[in-house]
Amino acid sequence: MRLAHLHLPHTTPFARVSDIQQVLTSRFLTHKKLVHPSSISSQTTSLPNKLGPKAPPPPPDPTIITFTPNPVYTTGRRDLPPSNTCPPSSTNLSLPPALEPIRNILTPSASQGPKAEYVPTLRGGQTTYHGPGQMVAYTILDLKRLGLTPRCHIRVLENSVIDLLHGYRVHGFVTEDPGVWVRDPYAGPDTQPKKITAVGVHLRRNISSFGIGLNVTQEPMWFFRQIVACGLEGKEATSLRGVGVEGVEVDEVAHGFVDRFVERVNMDFACRETATGEKIEEVYPVQVEDLLQD
């Protein structure tokens, strides 16, 4: 199996990446319908096929999109606004209760535009922030082909981040709360851990979308302090820079995450004797134009 990696090196509108992700997930779902049609009419099944069964097309390659969006607050299914999943306009913005206290940040004033966008999504989880200084990775995968259950998929994402942090001599771990956490090296051992990576995905017919947001610099911290991120009262966020890792750029972290992800999938779900998933043999770079070709 080959894995496509689309890395967007410049700050990108969140809606642009959402559109690309939607195209890719739709291709996976269309392929599933062709290979495993949910229903076939009795008239069709009674007709003889003189040409024999038609071979199904090959499945789309799994894809990881890594990027940094413009400042944006997103909500998951647990924090959707009262109306629907599409905010009607910036002047009459439908916000969930978690974002009402910062309406002034999300709406334009007479002298300037909003400091951040608001986008409701269908991923799991609650409210979080994405923006400059953060590496966001969306994984568009067929979990069955990789031999992953939904829970294993989350664990692979978490462990890939933990492996990546280990390469920077940072000890990452999971807790009963979602995401990946670290301890402040400048504080005592009994201090509360801080969240360095948010994890939230969406599944439809075992096709995954969305993924993780890993804080690289301290730039996102002001935006996190304006909300109760992921509904976790009293919990703080941090970044690689915040735990003492200097001179690391988002591009480096993006490519490192993809490498760690492939290693995890192959080690845990493709190369063991009892493994049921396909091995990822190659990662190849793609451009937006490559992915959007029919």
Side-chain angles (χ1 to χ4, degrees):
M1 181 195 309
R2 302 172 76 221
L3 171 72
H5 178 201
L6 171 63
H7 177 62
L8 303 173
H10 306 294
T11 303
T12 305
F14 186 84
R16 174 63 168 155
V17 180
S18 295
D19 290 344
I20 297 170
Q21 178 177 242
Q22 182 59 47
V23 169
L24 298 178
T25 54
S26 296
R27 285 179 184 166
F28 272 105
L29 293 170
T30 299
H31 180 265
K32 277 184 174 284
K33 288 181 181 179
L34 291 173
V35 176
H36 305 290
S38 57
S39 62
I40 303 175
S41 67
S42 57
Q43 181 181 4
T44 302
T45 55
S46 64
L47 294 175
N49 188 348
K50 296 181 180 180
L51 299 178
K54 184 178 180 180
D61 287 338
T63 301
I64 296 181
I65 306 172
T66 53
F67 66 104
T68 295
N70 292 323
V72 58
Y73 288 98
T74 70
T75 48
R77 293 188 300 273
R78 295 174 60 190
D79 257 353
L80 288 178
S83 57
N84 52 48
T85 60
C86 297
S89 71
S90 60
T91 57
N92 186 27
L93 198 58
S94 177
L95 294 175
L99 290 179
E100 277 295 348
I102 62 165
R103 179 176 285 273
N104 63 311
I105 295 176
L106 302 171
T107 53
S109 66
S111 59
Q112 63 180 10
K115 292 184 175 67
E117 295 180 88
Y118 163 59
V119 179
T121 75
L122 293 177
R123 62 164 172 78
Q126 295 178 262
T127 302
T128 193
Y129 169 79
H130 299 305
Q134 190 179 77
M135 190 282 292
V136 181
Y138 282 176
T139 57
I140 301 92
L141 317 164
D142 184 342
L143 298 192
K144 283 196 171 182
R145 190 178 176 197
L146 289 168
L148 300 173
T149 65
R151 180 59 231 169
C152 287
H153 175 225
I154 297 294
R155 185 60 66 191
V156 166
L157 293 174
E158 294 169 340
N159 285 338
S160 299
V161 171
I162 291 171
D163 293 345
L164 177 65
L165 295 176
H166 181 75
Y168 294 111
R169 299 184 179 181
V170 174
H171 174 60
F173 52 91
V174 295
T175 70
E176 68 275 7
D177 295 317
V180 177
W181 300 75
V182 296
R183 294 199 182 277
D184 189 337
Y186 308 108
D190 297 329
T191 57
Q192 287 276 351
K194 295 183 178 182
K195 191 171 190 175
I196 197 169
T197 301
V199 179
V201 301
H202 179 254
L203 289 178
R204 183 181 175 191
R205 297 192 69 188
N206 284 295
I207 303 302
S208 70
S209 53
F210 298 97
I212 69 156
L214 193 161
N215 302 319
V216 179
T217 73
Q218 289 292 88
E219 194 171 353
M221 296 305 113
W222 182 88
F223 292 91
F224 276 116
R225 286 194 293 270
Q226 309 311 306
I227 62 171
V228 179
C230 302
L232 301 174
E233 194 78 48
K235 301 295 177 70
E236 296 182 31
T238 190
S239 67
L240 280 172
R241 188 75 50 81
V243 295
V245 180
E246 301 288 344
V248 178
E249 302 296 333
V250 169
D251 290 1
E252 175 186 324
V253 174
H255 288 90
F257 171 78
V258 173
D259 290 342
R260 301 294 85 74
F261 179 85
V262 170
E263 290 171 1
R264 270 288 166 182
V265 168
N266 286 345
M267 178 172 62
D268 293 345
F269 299 98
C271 297
R272 292 181 176 179
E273 291 183 3
T274 58
T276 59
E278 292 185 43
K279 182 179 180 181
I280 300 174
E281 301 281 357
E282 178 189 359
V283 178
Y284 65 99
V286 292
Q287 302 299 317
V288 173
E289 296 75 16
D290 301 327
L291 290 179
L292 297 185
Q293 288 178 351
D294 292 331

